[in-house]
Amino acid sequence: MSNYLVMKFGGTSVGSSERIGEVAKRVVRQVKKHGDKVVVVVSAMSGETNRLIELARKVAGDGYKAREYHQLVTAGEQVSVALTAMAIEREGLPAQSLLAHQIPIKTNTVFGQNLISEIPVDKLKSLLDRGIVPVVAGFQGVNDSLEYTTLGRGGSDTTAVAVAAALDSCRCVILTDVDGVYTALPSICKKARKLKALTYEEMLELASSGAKVLQTRSVSLASKFKVPTLVCSSFSDAAGTEIVEEYEGMEDAVVSGITCRTDEAKITLRNLPDQPGVAARIFKVLGDAEVVVDMIVQSEGSSGRAAISFTCAQEFSKVAYDAMLKLIQQEMSESSIELDTNIAKLSVVGEGMRTHAGVAYKVFEVLGEEGINVDMITTSEIKISVAIEEKYSELAVRVLHERFIERPES
Ligand code: ASP
Ligand code: MG
């Protein structure tokens, strides 16, 4: 077993010169105490990426080219890697900052997203073998034409896991401003508690359903390459949450976590012809408009008419609405369309659902007792998601948490 370790520090952890100093001390401690070969990955200093995007808007509205956007926003990480490398050297270990093209972290563009295609590790290994700490810029990639790309907001998590996957049997620690993954957002639910461990699949479902601790893509990568990942605080030594393939007792609790997201919108098409091919036509148009659809519900047709509702990210709801409006005007003139942005998607997630029955019934019962109407439903083997009115979202999280996590035996 090699002792490679990737330590990733988020924006808050490198948010000031003092904090960068603390990061350096922590890295040096890890290397000296445990003899680990540490690769550091950092995000931009907190607020920096937003500041750069805001500057672009001021200068060019929405009219700037993708190339210039990537060129601009990668600057945040260029600053933080250099400062972190300097701070580590000051603490007594040689360090070298590396930007994406200096490794290189190669990306391909697939469906408008930059996905990592390759990370050669010879340079990292050669630095490590010479006792030098590589400090890698998160978020940045480079394409075949040597242009900068980025891995999406929060993409430094993905950089960290991808670097760990590229090195042999390497662990990954994500050091952040929270001390782990909680059963629900502690700001909404006072009784939320920190989880010791989660499976990759649980974390993936939680991340994609609104838990903001890790970028969803980093969890997919960790799962695919079986990278043992730990989420913990960069400000304390408290034990964090381990994300692993299996953990002891993983099916004992039915529900491991409850999340809620309010950044989706619902579009409903009514009075549609209840005929084969209509749904295909609708979702083809949405696909062509590059709208990623999340939940879908079709109501039973009556007198030859039917209704379809679907949700998508609020940021794409205008594009989706316009595409649908055009479609019904041109091809389904008797149908109508409605856009609702006041929805929340609530998800309960747990490996235990594979072996416990009646979870859906309990979710509906708890919500029903509070007078909360369930609008749409989707499920996977380990998740149940429902769409409800946004104003009930916090209440719904609390009552589901009480039912499934605080008194699971009831
Ligand atoms: N700096 C980038 C962002 O703010 C990437 C990251 O922080 O992970 O999205
Ligand atoms: Mg982050």
Side-chain angles (χ1 to χ4, degrees), residues 106-324:
K106 294 190 188 166
T107 64
N108 286 336
T109 304
V110 182
F111 284 119
Q113 295 189 61
N114 299 307
L115 305 183
I116 294 175
S117 55
E118 198 194 340
I119 305 182
V121 287
D122 17 315
K123 184 143 186 185
L124 295 174
K125 283 189 173 168
S126 120
L127 289 170
L128 290 167
D129 288 343
R130 287 180 282 142
I132 302 169
V133 180
V135 184
V136 175
F139 186 48
Q140 300 184 349
V142 65
N143 67 17
D144 284 342
S145 325
L146 295 181
E147 303 279 7
Y148 269 126
T149 58
T150 57
L151 304 176
R153 298 306 308 273
S156 300
D157 294 337
T158 298
T159 309
V161 173
V163 168
L167 289 162
D168 317 314
S169 52
C170 176
R171 294 166 293 135
C172 183
V173 186
I174 308 279
L175 295 113
T176 177
D177 51 0
V178 293
D179 59 0
V181 185
Y182 279 70
T183 49
L185 206 60
S187 57
I188 295 183
C189 185
K190 294 216 163 45
K191 300 224 168 109
R193 55 182 171 74
K194 189 166 66 184
L195 291 153
K196 268 202 178 108
L198 283 167
T199 65
Y200 294 120
E201 220 179 317
E202 284 177 318
M203 190 63 230
L204 197 57
E205 295 280 23
L206 290 170
S208 64
S209 310
K212 296 207 175 65
V213 191
L214 289 176
Q215 196 198 33
T216 307
R217 269 162 65 193
S218 70
V219 189
S220 315
L221 269 188
S223 169
K224 185 166 169 197
F225 295 100
K226 307 281 174 273
V227 178
T229 303
L230 173 71
V231 178
C232 62
S233 165
S234 62
F235 306 117
S236 80
D237 288 324
T241 304
E242 274 184 273
I243 299 158
V244 285
E245 209 170 0
E246 294 185 326
Y247 58 90
E248 217 186 289
M250 68 185 202
E251 293 195 342
D252 295 353
V254 183
V255 172
S256 304
I258 298 164
T259 56
C260 173
R261 56 190 297 179
T262 52
D263 58 353
E264 291 199 0
K266 181 178 79 165
I267 290 180
T268 304
L269 300 164
R270 291 185 211 283
N271 208 26
L272 294 164
D274 191 13
Q275 284 161 6
V278 171
R281 184 77 192 110
I282 288 169
F283 292 101
K284 162 91 171 61
V285 171
L286 289 169
D288 290 346
E290 300 214 340
V291 173
V292 178
V293 172
D294 184 15
M295 306 172 100
I296 301 174
V297 170
Q298 170 156 20
S299 72
E300 213 175 296
S302 67
S303 41
R305 311 302 290 181
I308 289 181
S309 300
F310 63 88
T311 67
C312 64
Q314 237 169 64
E315 59 177 315
F316 298 117
S317 61
K318 171 93 176 63
V319 175
Y321 181 86
D322 290 347
M324 289 296 98

Side-chain angles (χ1 to χ4, degrees), residues 8-11 42-45 47-50 53 73 76-77 138-140 152-158 215:
K8 183 258 169 178
F9 294 90
V42 292
S43 299
M45 296 170 80
E48 188 57 16
T49 310
N50 288 344
I53 294 172
V73 296
E77 272 73 8
F139 186 48
Q140 300 184 349
R153 298 306 308 273
S156 300
D157 294 337
T158 298
Q215 196 198 33

